[in-house]
Amino acid sequence: MVQLDFSKLDGLVTAVAQDWKTGEVLMVAYMNAESWELTRKTGIMHYWSRSRKALWKKGESSGNVQEVKELRIDCDADCVLARVRQIGDAACHTGYRSCFHRVIEEGGGERVDGVLVFDPAKVYGVSTERADARGASAERPKPYGEKK
Amino acid sequence: MVQLDFSKLDGLVTAVAQDWKTGEVLMVAYMNAESWELTRKTGIMHYWSRSRKALWKKGESSGNVQEVKELRIDCDADCVLARVRQIGDAACHTGYRSCFHRVIEEGGGERVDGVLVFDPAKVYGVSTERADARGASAERPKPYGEKK
């Protein structure tokens, strides 16, 4: 039985969720021992919310749960890579498919590059500052990996 | 200018390195403000080694540096996703292309699934316990994403 090393992050390991088909990195979060066990046993991604200090079944509010297709760990067992099927096609609370929709430009600024899947105001009942501030709805969705 | 949030991990952010062409997740490590700046300015990945408590230019010993092709950050700016060209084609000190070569099986055990690129004994001058113990050389390299 594989033992994860929860000692380096005070009881947590880092967890990367990756779309199992496209390879897009959807989000990075953390797991404690309980969320790791639940993820393994249920086949649905469970994390540990550091802000809420609580077990976090991803998609509990939005319905956008993540089905586990494959679980990997890294060489020193302190990080999980989960290849998942993202229900609802959006992992980010801002409505984007991926949390990593902020691209750093050469000068150190940023631009948004991502697929906006839902309006967070409709899903969570409140508008998120980030989706609004970035003019998210004006973004043209681009296939992941398309080079500029 | 984008400001990363280094407050959640005592001065660090998590950094995921992903092969810019195949989408394979190569490794997860950490960056402090200095390594983030150096990464941005030099176009070569720099991390913070938590075990050595030192700035870590990835590939300094092995020559397997990582050229930055694109830097992204996540919605709350506490995680970096770097799409990189991995020089030497191996990110892991065990000689595997990716650190995530350990697949968790249904019963909770593991199997190795990864491409072994180099013999760590030849590169670092010492054999690593992990590559030996897992019978790495007996593994048949499989294309990333191939389904079983």
Side-chain angles (χ1 to χ4, degrees), chain A residues 1-2 8 14 18 23 30 50 71-75 78 81 83 99-100 102 104 108 113 130 144-145, chain B residues 1-2 14 18 23 30 50 71-75 78 81 83 99-100 102 104 108 113 130 144-145:
Chain A
M1 181 70 81
V2 173
K8 294 181 190 167
T14 306
Q18 181 182 33
Y30 300 86
R50 295 182 300 174
L71 290 173
R72 289 173 176 256
I73 61 172
D74 70 346
C75 48
D78 63 359
L81 173 63
R83 291 162 77 179
C99 291
F100 292 95
R102 302 170 67 180
I104 306 301
D113 174 34
R130 189 159 290 120
Y144 181 67
Chain B
M1 181 70 80
V2 174
T14 306
Q18 181 182 33
Y30 300 86
R50 295 182 300 173
L71 291 172
R72 290 173 176 256
I73 62 172
D74 70 346
C75 48
D78 63 359
L81 173 63
R83 291 162 80 180
C99 291
F100 292 95
R102 303 170 65 180
I104 307 300
D113 175 34
R130 188 159 290 121
Y144 182 68

Side-chain angles (χ1 to χ4, degrees), chain A residues 86-125:
Chain A
Q86 176 65 63
I87 306 298
D89 207 28
C92 188
H93 71 291
T94 59
Y96 282 93
R97 178 178 292 164
S98 164
C99 291
F100 292 95
H101 52 269
R102 302 170 67 180
V103 179
I104 306 301
E105 297 189 307
E106 244 175 63
E110 66 176 290
R111 64 183 164 81
V112 172
D113 174 34
V115 179
L116 189 69
V117 176
F118 68 79
D119 176 356
K122 289 186 185 151
V123 172
Y124 297 104

